[in-house]
Amino acid sequence: MGKDVIIACDFASREATLQFLDRFTGKKPFIKIGMELYYAEGPQIVRDLKARGHKIFLDLKLHDIPNTVKKAMAVLSRLDVDMTNLHAAGTRAMMEAALEGLTRPDGTRPLLIAVTQLTSTSPEAMEKDLLIEKPMEQVVMHYAKTAAASGLDGVVCSPLEAEAVHGACGKGFLTVTPGVRFADGDKGDQVRVMTPAQAKAIGSDYIVVGRPITAASDPVAAYERCLSEFVG
Ligand code: C5P
Protein backbone atom coordinates (compact mmCIF):
# COMPACT_ATOMS: atom_id res chain seq x y z
CA MET A 1 0.00 0.00 0.00
CA GLY A 2 1.29 3.45 -0.88
CA LYS A 3 0.43 6.95 0.22
CA ASP A 4 -3.30 7.39 0.69
CA VAL A 5 -6.03 9.51 2.23
CA ILE A 6 -8.06 7.70 4.90
CA ILE A 7 -11.50 9.17 5.60
CA ALA A 8 -12.43 9.05 9.31
CA CYS A 9 -16.02 7.82 9.19
CA ASP A 10 -16.94 9.17 12.62
CA PHE A 11 -20.64 8.44 12.27
CA ALA A 12 -22.94 7.03 14.95
CA SER A 13 -24.78 4.50 12.79
CA ARG A 14 -24.61 2.26 9.78
CA GLU A 15 -27.32 4.31 8.10
CA ALA A 16 -25.38 7.59 8.40
CA THR A 17 -22.18 5.91 7.20
CA LEU A 18 -23.80 4.37 4.12
CA GLN A 19 -25.60 7.60 3.31
CA PHE A 20 -22.21 9.34 3.33
CA LEU A 21 -20.39 6.66 1.32
CA ASP A 22 -23.18 6.42 -1.27
CA ARG A 23 -22.11 9.85 -2.51
CA PHE A 24 -18.81 8.37 -3.72
CA THR A 25 -20.20 6.71 -6.83
CA GLY A 26 -17.54 4.59 -8.46
CA LYS A 27 -14.89 5.51 -5.88
CA LYS A 28 -13.82 3.35 -2.97
CA PRO A 29 -11.99 5.53 -0.46
CA PHE A 30 -9.85 3.97 2.30
CA ILE A 31 -11.97 4.52 5.43
CA LYS A 32 -11.37 4.52 9.18
CA ILE A 33 -13.95 2.93 11.45
CA GLY A 34 -13.65 3.97 15.07
CA MET A 35 -15.03 2.82 18.40
CA GLU A 36 -18.37 4.62 18.14
CA LEU A 37 -19.48 3.01 14.90
CA TYR A 38 -17.94 -0.39 15.70
CA TYR A 39 -19.54 -0.62 19.13
CA ALA A 40 -22.88 0.60 17.78
CA GLU A 41 -23.05 -1.77 14.84
CA GLY A 42 -20.68 -4.62 15.66
CA PRO A 43 -18.39 -6.55 13.30
CA GLN A 44 -21.04 -6.77 10.58
CA ILE A 45 -20.44 -3.13 9.64
CA VAL A 46 -16.82 -4.05 8.87
CA ARG A 47 -17.85 -7.03 6.73
CA ASP A 48 -20.41 -4.92 4.86
CA LEU A 49 -18.02 -2.06 4.13
CA LYS A 50 -15.31 -4.51 3.04
CA ALA A 51 -17.86 -6.16 0.74
CA ARG A 52 -18.52 -2.74 -0.81
CA GLY A 53 -14.86 -2.61 -1.75
CA HIS A 54 -13.36 -0.24 0.82
CA LYS A 55 -10.00 -0.67 2.52
CA ILE A 56 -10.54 -0.39 6.26
CA PHE A 57 -8.48 0.99 9.12
CA LEU A 58 -10.20 -0.37 12.25
CA ASP A 59 -9.28 2.12 14.96
CA LEU A 60 -10.06 0.31 18.23
CA LYS A 61 -6.77 1.04 20.06
CA LEU A 62 -6.45 -2.25 21.92
CA HIS A 63 -4.70 -2.31 25.32
CA ASP A 64 -4.91 -5.36 27.60
CA ILE A 65 -2.78 -8.31 28.70
CA PRO A 66 -0.85 -9.91 25.82
CA ASN A 67 -2.95 -13.08 25.65
CA THR A 68 -6.23 -11.17 25.45
CA VAL A 69 -4.90 -8.79 22.79
CA LYS A 70 -3.53 -11.71 20.77
CA LYS A 71 -6.93 -13.41 20.70
CA ALA A 72 -8.81 -10.19 19.95
CA MET A 73 -6.41 -9.41 17.09
CA ALA A 74 -7.05 -12.84 15.58
CA VAL A 75 -10.75 -11.96 15.47
CA LEU A 76 -10.04 -8.59 13.78
CA SER A 77 -7.73 -10.28 11.30
CA ARG A 78 -10.52 -12.65 10.28
CA LEU A 79 -12.66 -9.57 9.54
CA ASP A 80 -10.08 -8.88 6.83
CA VAL A 81 -9.36 -5.29 7.86
CA ASP A 82 -6.37 -3.65 6.14
CA MET A 83 -5.00 -1.76 9.15
CA THR A 84 -5.66 -1.78 12.88
CA ASN A 85 -4.02 -0.39 16.01
CA LEU A 86 -3.15 -0.67 19.71
CA HIS A 87 -1.60 1.41 22.48
CA ALA A 88 2.20 1.19 22.60
CA ALA A 89 1.79 1.66 26.38
CA GLY A 90 0.70 -1.99 26.47
CA THR A 91 4.44 -2.84 26.23
CA ARG A 92 6.55 -4.81 23.81
CA ALA A 93 5.17 -8.16 25.01
CA MET A 94 1.64 -7.00 24.16
CA MET A 95 2.67 -5.68 20.74
CA GLU A 96 4.48 -8.90 19.83
CA ALA A 97 1.48 -10.96 20.96
CA ALA A 98 -0.80 -8.72 18.87
CA LEU A 99 1.29 -9.38 15.75
CA GLU A 100 1.10 -13.12 16.38
CA GLY A 101 -2.65 -12.95 16.74
CA LEU A 102 -3.05 -10.87 13.58
CA THR A 103 -0.98 -13.17 11.38
CA ARG A 104 -3.19 -15.45 9.29
CA PRO A 105 -2.35 -19.08 8.53
CA ASP A 106 -1.09 -18.00 5.07
CA GLY A 107 1.34 -15.53 6.66
CA THR A 108 -0.53 -12.37 5.62
CA ARG A 109 -1.84 -9.85 8.14
CA PRO A 110 -3.33 -6.35 8.38
CA LEU A 111 -0.93 -3.47 9.02
CA LEU A 112 -0.49 -2.86 12.75
CA ILE A 113 0.00 0.70 13.92
CA ALA A 114 0.75 1.93 17.46
CA VAL A 115 -0.75 4.89 19.25
CA THR A 116 2.01 6.59 21.26
CA GLN A 117 0.75 9.26 23.67
CA LEU A 118 -2.75 10.43 22.79
CA THR A 119 -2.65 14.05 21.64
CA SER A 120 -5.32 14.79 24.25
CA THR A 121 -2.81 14.00 27.04
CA SER A 122 -1.02 17.13 28.23
CA PRO A 123 2.50 17.07 29.69
CA GLU A 124 0.90 18.04 33.03
CA ALA A 125 -1.48 15.05 32.93
CA MET A 126 1.40 12.78 31.95
CA GLU A 127 3.35 13.89 34.99
CA LYS A 128 0.49 14.05 37.52
CA ASP A 129 -1.72 11.15 36.41
CA LEU A 130 0.83 8.78 34.91
CA LEU A 131 4.04 9.74 36.76
CA ILE A 132 5.84 10.09 33.40
CA GLU A 133 8.32 12.91 33.90
CA LYS A 134 10.28 12.81 30.64
CA PRO A 135 9.48 15.40 27.95
CA MET A 136 6.54 14.48 25.69
CA GLU A 137 8.68 14.36 22.54
CA GLN A 138 11.11 11.92 24.13
CA VAL A 139 8.24 9.72 25.32
CA VAL A 140 6.59 9.68 21.88
CA MET A 141 9.88 8.77 20.14
CA HIS A 142 10.63 6.07 22.70
CA TYR A 143 7.18 4.52 22.18
CA ALA A 144 7.67 4.69 18.41
CA LYS A 145 11.06 2.96 18.64
CA THR A 146 9.63 0.26 20.93
CA ALA A 147 6.80 -0.30 18.45
CA ALA A 148 9.33 -0.62 15.60
CA ALA A 149 11.49 -3.01 17.64
CA SER A 150 8.37 -5.11 18.33
CA GLY A 151 7.83 -5.51 14.58
CA LEU A 152 4.92 -3.09 14.14
CA ASP A 153 4.45 -1.27 10.85
CA GLY A 154 4.15 2.30 12.09
CA VAL A 155 2.57 4.81 14.45
CA VAL A 156 -0.29 7.27 14.54
CA CYS A 157 1.29 10.68 15.06
CA SER A 158 0.95 14.35 14.30
CA PRO A 159 2.23 15.27 10.83
CA LEU A 160 4.59 17.54 12.77
CA GLU A 161 6.22 14.42 14.24
CA ALA A 162 6.37 12.37 11.02
CA GLU A 163 9.85 13.48 10.05
CA ALA A 164 11.32 12.73 13.49
CA VAL A 165 9.61 9.31 13.56
CA HIS A 166 11.09 8.43 10.17
CA GLY A 167 14.48 9.66 11.41
CA ALA A 168 14.32 7.46 14.50
CA CYS A 169 12.62 4.37 13.08
CA GLY A 170 13.46 4.42 9.36
CA LYS A 171 11.67 5.64 6.24
CA GLY A 172 9.77 2.38 5.87
CA PHE A 173 8.10 2.77 9.28
CA LEU A 174 4.67 4.19 8.51
CA THR A 175 3.38 7.48 9.85
CA VAL A 176 -0.42 7.72 9.91
CA THR A 177 -1.30 11.30 10.62
CA PRO A 178 -4.55 12.96 11.68
CA GLY A 179 -4.80 16.71 12.34
CA VAL A 180 -5.07 17.63 8.65
CA ARG A 181 -6.89 20.76 7.51
CA PHE A 182 -7.17 22.68 4.25
CA ALA A 183 -5.32 26.00 4.26
CA ASP A 184 -8.66 27.83 3.88
CA GLY A 185 -10.62 25.47 6.18
CA ASP A 186 -11.94 25.40 9.74
CA LYS A 187 -9.54 23.89 12.32
CA GLY A 188 -12.35 22.72 14.63
CA ASP A 189 -10.91 21.33 17.88
CA GLN A 190 -7.58 20.32 16.30
CA VAL A 191 -4.73 22.50 17.50
CA ARG A 192 -1.59 21.45 15.65
CA VAL A 193 -2.64 21.05 12.04
CA MET A 194 -1.08 20.72 8.58
CA THR A 195 -2.50 20.88 5.08
CA PRO A 196 -2.47 17.70 2.95
CA ALA A 197 0.32 19.24 0.84
CA GLN A 198 2.43 19.99 3.93
CA ALA A 199 1.80 16.47 5.27
CA LYS A 200 3.05 15.12 1.92
CA ALA A 201 6.14 17.34 1.98
CA ILE A 202 7.05 16.21 5.48
CA GLY A 203 6.72 12.55 4.54
CA SER A 204 3.45 11.32 6.09
CA ASP A 205 2.47 7.96 4.65
CA TYR A 206 -1.27 8.16 5.29
CA ILE A 207 -3.37 11.14 6.31
CA VAL A 208 -6.54 10.55 8.33
CA VAL A 209 -9.10 13.21 7.47
CA GLY A 210 -12.51 13.50 9.10
CA ARG A 211 -14.53 16.68 9.20
CA PRO A 212 -12.80 18.51 6.33
CA ILE A 213 -14.39 15.78 4.18
CA THR A 214 -17.40 14.51 6.18
CA ALA A 215 -18.71 17.98 7.01
CA ALA A 216 -17.93 19.54 3.61
CA SER A 217 -20.82 20.72 1.46
CA ASP A 218 -19.34 18.54 -1.29
CA PRO A 219 -17.52 15.65 0.44
CA VAL A 220 -16.46 14.00 -2.82
CA ALA A 221 -14.81 17.23 -4.05
CA ALA A 222 -13.12 17.66 -0.64
CA TYR A 223 -11.83 14.06 -0.83
CA GLU A 224 -10.53 14.63 -4.39
CA ARG A 225 -8.81 17.80 -3.23
CA CYS A 226 -7.11 15.91 -0.38
CA LEU A 227 -6.00 13.20 -2.78
CA SER A 228 -4.57 15.62 -5.31
CA GLU A 229 -2.75 17.67 -2.64
CA PHE A 230 -1.42 14.62 -0.79
CA VAL A 231 -0.93 11.93 -3.41
CA GLY A 232 -1.03 13.31 -6.88
O1 C5P B 1 -12.44 15.38 11.94
P1 C5P B 1 -10.95 15.23 12.06
O2 C5P B 1 -10.21 15.40 10.74
O3 C5P B 1 -10.36 16.07 13.17
O4 C5P B 1 -10.77 13.70 12.45
C1 C5P B 1 -9.53 13.15 12.78
C2 C5P B 1 -9.69 11.69 13.13
O5 C5P B 1 -8.44 11.22 13.62
C3 C5P B 1 -10.71 11.42 14.23
O6 C5P B 1 -11.28 10.13 13.98
C4 C5P B 1 -9.88 11.41 15.48
O7 C5P B 1 -10.44 10.62 16.50
C5 C5P B 1 -8.58 10.79 14.97
N1 C5P B 1 -7.39 11.13 15.77
C6 C5P B 1 -6.97 12.42 15.99
N2 C5P B 1 -5.86 12.68 16.74
C7 C5P B 1 -5.16 11.67 17.26
C8 C5P B 1 -5.55 10.35 17.04
C9 C5P B 1 -6.70 10.11 16.28
O8 C5P B 1 -7.59 13.36 15.50
N3 C5P B 1 -4.06 11.94 17.93
Side-chain angles (χ1 to χ4, degrees):
M1 282 193 267
K3 275 188 188 292
D4 209 348
V5 173
I6 303 178
I7 305 179
C9 285
D10 293 323
F11 298 108
S13 69
R14 170 194 171 83
E15 196 187 5
T17 308
L18 294 185
Q19 204 172 23
F20 170 74
L21 291 174
D22 278 345
R23 305 174 75 132
F24 291 78
T25 39
K27 296 185 192 74
K28 301 293 176 191
F30 199 144
I31 57 178
K32 177 169 90 73
I33 298 177
M35 289 185 198
E36 185 185 13
L37 183 59
Y38 186 79
Y39 293 142
E41 300 290 350
Q44 194 56 38
I45 187 74
V46 177
R47 293 189 193 99
D48 291 350
L49 293 172
K50 259 320 264 191
R52 287 168 66 116
H54 295 279
K55 282 185 181 163
I56 293 177
F57 171 18
L58 189 57
D59 178 16
L60 299 181
K61 301 187 179 70
L62 274 65
H63 188 172
D64 207 320
I65 60 170
N67 185 55
T68 301
V69 169
K70 178 177 166 179
K71 288 180 174 170
M73 286 294 184
V75 174
L76 302 187
S77 192
R78 287 197 289 274
L79 284 177
D80 202 21
V81 298
D82 297 278
M83 182 186 289
T84 191
N85 61 1
L86 47 63
H87 277 282
T91 76
R92 184 166 176 156
M94 189 198 80
M95 291 192 267
E96 288 173 351
L99 278 176
E100 260 184 64
L102 268 188
T103 305
R104 305 182 183 107
D106 66 0
T108 64
R109 63 166 175 82
L111 292 172
L112 185 59
I113 304 296
V115 173
T116 57
Q117 272 296 342
L118 290 171
T119 45
S120 52
T121 308
S122 65
E124 296 73 47
M126 240 175 39
E127 202 176 326
K128 281 204 191 118
D129 302 349
L130 309 176
L131 283 184
I132 300 174
E133 289 170 355
K134 304 265 191 221
M136 178 70 81
E137 206 182 290
Q138 200 178 327
V139 174
V140 167
M141 285 309 143
H142 183 67
Y143 282 24
K145 283 191 234 170
T146 308
S150 307
L152 268 72
D153 302 295
V155 285
V156 179
C157 64
S158 156
L160 296 152
E161 291 158 359
E163 220 166 11
V165 168
H166 281 140
C169 305
K171 283 263 176 276
F173 192 64
L174 302 172
T175 52
V176 179
T177 62
V180 174
R181 292 294 180 265
F182 292 121
D184 51 0
D186 185 2
K187 277 167 64 169
D189 55 359
Q190 296 282 11
V191 179
R192 301 188 307 147
V193 298
M194 268 197 188
T195 66
Q198 287 167 333
K200 177 185 182 177
I202 212 153
S204 288
D205 295 288
Y206 294 89
I207 51 173
V208 177
V209 188
R211 289 159 292 177
I213 296 174
T214 57
S217 53
D218 185 344
V220 179
Y223 171 66
E224 296 291 354
R225 181 177 171 192
C226 269
L227 268 184
S228 69
E229 278 194 31
F230 183 67
V231 183

